[in-house]
Amino acid sequence: MEKILTIGIPTYKRPHSCAKLLNQILNSQILNDNVKVIVVNDSGSEEFEKEYATIINSYDGLDINYLTNVQNIGFPKSLLKLFSFCETKYLMMMADDDMIVIDFLEDILRFLNEKKPDLLSPQWLYRNGRFGRGIDVTRKVEIEEHRLCSGHAPGVIFNIENVREFIPIIEKRINIGCAATLTYPLVSFAISLILKNDNCWWYGEPIAMEGDNCESGIKDGKGDHYSSVNSRIQQIAAFDDFILTFEDSQIRNKLLLESRAWSIKKLLNSNKE
C-alpha cells in the first residue's frame, strides 16, 4: 500500500531526544508500515553532525530521508525544507523531543483519505493527559481558531500539494525578517489554507504528546524570543501585513480581527510566559 504520510522532524542539537522518537517509529509496526520520515538537522555543527549521522545510520529498517544544514538556518526555513522534500500527500510535524500517540493513527489515515483536508489538527497532550492543543470532537476549524489549531507544531498535518503554493510567498517574507512568518510559520500556512479553501479540520483524538519538554529557542528577525514583549508587538503588525496581502473578503477581514485579538492577548500575557 502506498504511504500517504511523512513524519517531519526538524532537530537542533538534540540527537538523543531525536533518537527516542526514531526508536518509537522503528519499533512500531503500524508506524513502520504506514509512514515515511524526514529529519532535518539544523545544528550547524560538525560535532553534532557526526552524532546525528551515527544515530541515523543505525536505522536500516526505517524509511528515512536525512537532511543536514551546513549552517543553522532556523526552524522556519527548516520547515520549508521539510515541505519541499516531502514525497507523500501529507506531512505531519513532530518536535524532536515529543512522542507519537499511535492508538488512532489508522483512523487518522482513513480520515485523510476520505476528507482530504488541507490541514488536520489532532490533539497534542501533556504527559498528565491534559490538552496542550486540540478539542474532543472532529469538525472544521473556525476562523477564530486559526492560531489554536496550528500555533503548536507537533502533530499538525499538512496537505503538501496545497501547501507548496504558498512556500515561495512565505519564504520571501522569512527572508525579509517578517516577525509573523519567523515566529509562527505554521500559523502563516494555516491562514493561507483557510483563506484559500476553508478545508482545515480538528481531529478529536490525540496523535502526539509531550516528551522531554525542551525549551523553544524561536526568535524574530531582531533576535528577540518569540514570547517577549518586543516580539509580540512586532507580530501584531506583521500578521496584519501578511493577512492584508490576501484578496479582500468577509472571511479575510474577520480573520484579521481575530488575529489582532490573539496577538494582543499574547502581548498582555508576555511577562507571564
Side-chain angles (χ1 to χ4, degrees):
M1 185 175 67
E2 180 185 3
K3 295 178 179 180
I4 67 166
L5 182 65
T6 293
I7 297 174
I9 309 169
T11 183
Y12 177 74
K13 295 185 178 181
R14 294 200 285 251
H16 298 295
S17 292
C18 188
K20 289 180 185 178
L21 177 56
L22 294 176
N23 276 330
Q24 184 193 22
I25 297 170
L26 179 67
N27 293 324
S28 166
Q29 190 66 47
I30 186 172
L31 288 171
N32 241 325
D33 290 346
N34 289 283
V35 305
K36 296 185 177 186
V37 179
I38 303 177
V39 175
V40 175
N41 172 17
D42 194 36
S43 302
S45 158
E46 288 187 17
E47 176 189 354
F48 279 98
E49 166 54 22
K50 291 177 182 177
E51 203 167 348
Y52 275 104
T54 299
I55 290 171
I56 298 298
N57 290 335
S58 69
Y59 293 100
D60 291 335
L62 199 56
D63 191 349
I64 184 169
N65 184 8
Y66 174 62
L67 309 170
T68 185
N69 301 330
V70 177
Q71 295 181 325
N72 171 253
I73 61 175
F75 171 69
K77 289 185 178 180
S78 292
L79 170 66
L80 299 185
K81 202 166 183 177
L82 287 170
F83 284 156
S84 298
F85 279 86
C86 181
E87 297 177 345
T88 56
K89 293 180 181 178
Y90 293 93
L91 182 135
M92 182 175 84
M93 289 296 303
M94 277 299 295
D96 59 4
D97 59 337
D98 281 347
M99 303 300 288
I100 299 169
V101 178
I102 64 173
D103 305 56
F104 303 98
L105 180 64
E106 287 184 311
D107 294 334
I108 287 173
L109 291 172
R110 278 194 291 270
F111 186 88
L112 294 175
N113 276 319
E114 292 171 3
K115 294 292 186 180
K116 298 176 173 54
D118 292 335
L119 178 152
L120 185 66
S121 184
Q123 297 167 3
W124 178 90
L125 304 177
Y126 289 107
R127 275 174 286 191
N128 62 10
R130 184 169 59 87
F131 285 2
R133 181 200 65 241
I135 60 175
D136 57 6
V137 295
T138 299
R139 62 164 173 80
K140 275 193 171 184
V141 172
E142 302 289 345
I143 293 294
E144 60 270 21
E145 298 170 330
H146 68 282
R147 296 229 196 168
L148 290 173
C149 75
S150 60
H152 189 65
V156 179
I157 300 171
F158 288 90
N159 182 314
I160 290 299
E161 181 180 355
N162 293 340
V163 156
R164 283 189 174 142
E165 174 184 345
F166 300 104
I167 289 178
I169 299 167
I170 291 176
E171 183 175 25
K172 183 177 179 180
R173 297 188 72 89
I174 289 170
N175 288 336
I176 62 173
C178 166
T181 52
L182 280 172
T183 57
Y184 288 98
L186 271 74
V187 173
S188 302
F189 277 105
I191 288 170
S192 304
L193 294 168
I194 287 171
L195 289 178
K196 182 183 179 182
N197 293 326
D198 189 23
N199 191 30
C200 298
W201 289 73
W202 292 106
Y203 193 82
E205 301 290 354
I207 192 61
M209 69 178 299
E210 182 181 33
D212 289 341
N213 192 22
C214 302
E215 184 178 353
S216 171
I218 293 177
K219 297 180 180 179
D220 62 24
K222 295 185 177 180
D224 293 318
H225 192 268
Y226 79 97
S227 65
S228 68
V229 171
N230 287 340
S231 185
R232 293 297 189 195
I233 292 171
Q234 297 300 316
Q235 290 165 34
I236 296 171
F239 271 111
D240 271 17
D241 184 62
F242 176 62
I243 294 167
L244 288 170
T245 63
F246 290 86
E247 184 178 352
D248 186 12
S249 68
Q250 186 175 356
I251 293 176
R252 186 207 69 175
N253 294 333
K254 181 178 180 181
L255 193 148
L256 178 66
L257 294 176
E258 295 293 345
S259 175
R260 286 176 184 168
W262 179 270
S263 294
I264 291 170
K265 178 182 177 181
K266 285 293 187 180
L267 172 61
L268 294 175
N269 289 327
S270 291
N271 291 329
K272 302 175 185 178
E273 296 182 349

